[in-house]
Amino acid sequence: MQSILESLRSVVEEVNSEIAGGPIVPQVTPQQIRDHLARYDFSQPVALPELCADVEQMLRTWHVQVTHPRYFGLFNPSVTFASVVADALVAMYNPQLATWRTSPAANEIERHTLAWLAAQFGLPTNASASFTTGGAEANLSAVIVALTKAFPEYGESGLLHLPASPAIYISEEAHHSFNKIAHMAGLGRRAIRTVATDDCLRMDLADLRRKLADDRKDGWAPFLVVGTAGTTGAGAIDPLADLARLCRSENLWFHADAAWGGASVISPRLKHHLAGIEAADSITCDAHKWFSVPMGAGMFFCRHPQTVRAAFHAETSYMPAETAGAVADQYHSSVQWSRRFIGLKLFLALAERAESGYVEMIEHQTRMGDVLRDHLQRAGWRIVNSTPLPLVCFTRDGLDPAQFVAALQRRQIAWMSTVKIRGTPVVRACVTSFRTTETDIECVVREMSRLL
Ligand SMILES: Cc1ncc(COP(=O)(O)O)c(C=O)c1O
């Protein structure tokens, strides 16, 4: 194993350094890729080394290099070596985690890892926790469990039999997975109430109170408020403690969507920004965002294990008998049935670097966010968002952000995106790579000035 690991490590390091020295954004049309793929009609076997070389070549040239240190993107991280190894191990052993008895080691590794993070969030030791495919699945779980708690008849009789239509409250900066979830859950997209935000793009509590009161008067049944810890557009953190208090007094479920920002809970310097999250009924946090592991690793935490079970239980004769004792079979406690060993990549990466290594990674990226803000301001850019997290939205008079970002990408200076803040398009840059250095940032801001 030692020698395999060392060879793999040198391959991964070589790939990383080639990516860092190469283009970030591909120039390719769908037809070019389809023409290339036409050679694979699957009529004849192709040798694996040849296939891998071709696939790697495609990924090197026809791929936005999200692990590039100058990719300032949409929360897609650079990945730790241990988490790459974890994905290979998982594929090799292919554990199925639906029942504990089938994969005891894998189930316990996940449980152990989730318990560590649940404790960091300040949740009780009996909180339910599971790995999900991502934040959208975790948010879906939150909505389904919250519905089950608020309307005990919902599980058996559905929404049609409820005396009033349930409503969900999110800020205008919240993630749009909730609109899709409302659609999928049968609530309908109109069940989503969009609450105004304050000057810092955080949910405005006065507007929330007003909307709750108006809706109750109009016969709706409010049941869920979502506070975001690190909004997708601008990195804003909603007033979690105030939201938790309000939800408790109004008997509403409080879900904290900390898909990206949740990782900052492990940093002694950043943790206080998430104060109040410990009182959430449920939390979304993605390992495949700021915990820097490969795609397909979200997490759902909930302080009401019985309600989770009520929402997701299933009785069948074809599954192995339920495992006795202090364990839960995950097909009873989550959306998924067949279940990949998602948690190994977080376990391995965390165990290899230790909590202190992870804190260093997160605080380094936060510092790089501050460096970016500082360099931009000194170069005459106007910062239009306010967050302690490493996400910077900026503009300057007369700028066309879409054209500017297109030029940045065309010249391979950096990958940034645009976002609308209060209806106005601006440039958005998020530090998502633990490899981004001060030199990268200096170089990018200097090159940006040349483009003006
Ligand atoms: C705040 C927030 N919540 C949820 C999601 C959805 O997460 P995923 O893409 O992992 O499904 C995202 C994605 O960026 C997000 O930023």
Side-chain angles (χ1 to χ4, degrees), residues 168-184:
I168 298 176
Y169 298 77
I170 63 174
S171 92
E172 53 197 8
E173 291 289 313
H175 194 260
H176 284 74
S177 52
F178 288 101
N179 303 68
K180 282 169 69 165
I181 290 163
H183 186 142
M184 290 187 291

Side-chain angles (χ1 to χ4, degrees), residues 377-390:
Q377 273 168 329
R378 282 198 269 140
W381 294 88
R382 196 167 64 249
I383 310 295
V384 297
N385 70 325
S386 161
T387 173
L389 308 179

Side-chain angles (χ1 to χ4, degrees), residues 74-75 133-137 139 175 177 228 230-232 257 259-260 284 286 288-289:
L74 292 165
F75 303 149
T133 49
E137 185 195 321
N139 285 342
H175 194 260
S177 52
T228 309
T231 56
T232 319
D257 181 357
W260 174 57
T284 287
D286 277 354
H288 68 200
K289 290 191 167 66

Side-chain angles (χ1 to χ4, degrees), residues 376 381-384 392-395 416 426-429 448:
L376 286 169
W381 294 88
R382 196 167 64 249
I383 310 295
V384 297
V392 192
C393 299
F394 55 96
T395 189
M416 293 183 188
V426 296
V427 185
R428 175 193 182 282
M448 284 166 61

Side-chain angles (χ1 to χ4, degrees), residues 95-162:
Q96 153 65 294
L97 277 73
T99 62
W100 188 93
R101 184 56 62 200
T102 311
S103 293
N107 267 285
E108 288 299 314
I109 288 171
E110 287 203 339
R111 202 183 136 273
H112 185 73
T113 312
L114 291 164
W116 167 80
L117 191 53
Q120 301 271 358
F121 280 126
L123 291 174
T125 50
N126 72 338
S128 158
S130 57
F131 280 96
T132 62
T133 49
E137 185 195 321
N139 285 342
L140 169 66
S141 307
V143 171
I144 300 300
V145 179
L147 273 172
T148 305
K149 175 97 170 159
F151 310 102
E153 66 275 42
Y154 156 73
E156 293 302 319
S157 306
L159 293 168
L160 277 180
H161 295 270
L162 300 186

